[in-house]
Amino acid sequence: MATLILVRHGRSTANTSGLLAGRTPGVELDERGAAQAAALPARLDGIPFAAVVSSPLQRCTQTLRPLLDARPGTELVTDERISECDYGDWTGRKLSELGGEPLMEVVQQHPSAAVFPGGESMRAMQARAVACVREWNERVEREHGEKAVFLMCSHGDIIKAIVADALGMHLDLFQRLHADPCSVTALSYTRLRPFLLKLGDTADLGALVPREAEGDGPGTVGGGAGAP
């Protein structure tokens, strides 16, 4: 029953410019995004990480830099499978322009049928991301035990797709979910089913610190005691 903490990268220059960054190299955090990243170590204080994994894109590794600096010796592993969706020919275009494309309605209403021109389908995006999460979860639990916590830094659509799978939601419903820049989403994959512990959280994360108390966790009758 390892716990996965999913962090969306901090606000980027593409976010503030209204561009669909996709896998464009060199997209950095803007001033607010850098401040969000700087606050991350304090928000995650007390939560031990058995592994820290990131999308290879710069805005994700940059988001994790303050956390890694605060925890000397912590290794960062990049995994292409949680990289941003390959938006193909849409990459780098303004979102205001893309709003008029017929495909945008499909992306919003029927994403399981959406295939980006010159890029990948949203179904393929979800499949690779979920496979990555499941593989890392099994590895972390096997090597570090069921109370282990691991962190992944990724992108909005990736995180939403992973959450949709964990909740048993069809991909066509994943646009109902939301994750702000530098927000934290947490999942616990148990033997029978996953639990969503946090979704798009930008505040206190003390409830994610592992505790020895038994009978107080996901699925606890009455709802559990929450953060100590």
Side-chain angles (χ1 to χ4, degrees):
M1 191 175 159
T3 298
L4 165 62
I5 294 180
L6 287 162
V7 177
R8 185 185 170 195
H9 62 78
R11 196 175 76 175
S12 72
T13 53
N15 293 144
T16 48
S17 299
L19 298 176
L20 185 63
R23 298 181 178 182
T24 303
V27 175
E28 300 181 333
L29 301 183
D30 68 5
E31 185 176 351
R32 180 176 177 184
Q36 290 170 334
L40 198 57
R43 293 176 61 210
L44 296 171
D45 186 46
I47 305 175
F49 296 120
V52 177
V53 187
S54 177
S55 158
L57 292 176
Q58 183 175 344
R59 55 194 183 273
C60 287
T61 57
Q62 190 179 359
T63 296
L64 292 181
R65 179 48 51 195
L67 180 66
L68 297 173
D69 289 344
R71 301 185 184 209
T74 301
E75 179 186 4
L76 177 64
V77 180
T78 59
D79 196 314
E80 292 278 355
R81 293 174 296 174
I82 54 169
S83 187
E84 180 63 286
C85 184
D86 183 356
Y87 295 116
D89 298 343
W90 279 25
T91 301
R93 293 181 60 187
K94 283 193 169 292
L95 291 168
S96 57
E97 298 173 358
L98 292 172
E101 295 278 357
L103 179 59
M104 183 59 83
E105 184 178 7
V106 181
V107 170
Q108 293 297 323
Q109 303 296 333
H110 189 22
S112 65
V115 181
F116 294 99
E120 71 179 329
S121 69
M122 300 197 86
R123 283 183 294 121
M125 173 198 76
Q126 183 185 45
R128 62 172 167 82
V130 169
C132 179
V133 164
R134 295 282 188 164
E135 181 182 301
W136 272 99
N137 184 78
E138 181 180 347
R139 174 179 170 181
V140 166
E141 189 164 317
R142 181 177 66 250
E143 296 179 1
H144 300 278
E146 63 179 16
K147 291 187 179 296
V149 183
F150 66 110
L151 181 148
M152 288 184 160
C153 185
S154 189
H155 308 268
D157 279 350
I158 298 292
I159 292 171
K160 288 160 55 180
I162 290 169
V163 171
D165 170 78
L167 293 178
M169 293 171 57
H170 197 285
L171 183 60
D172 286 346
L173 303 178
F174 100 126
Q175 298 290 20
R176 301 183 183 190
L177 303 171
H178 181 72
D180 280 323
C182 222
S183 63
V184 168
T185 294
L187 294 165
S188 181
Y189 289 90
T190 72
R191 184 174 64 87
L192 297 178
R193 60 188 179 273
F195 287 92
L196 178 64
L197 307 177
K198 297 277 184 181
L199 177 62
D201 198 308
T202 56
D204 178 65
L205 299 166
L208 297 176
V209 177
R211 301 195 297 279
E212 294 300 325
E214 299 295 333
D216 183 16
T220 300
V221 176

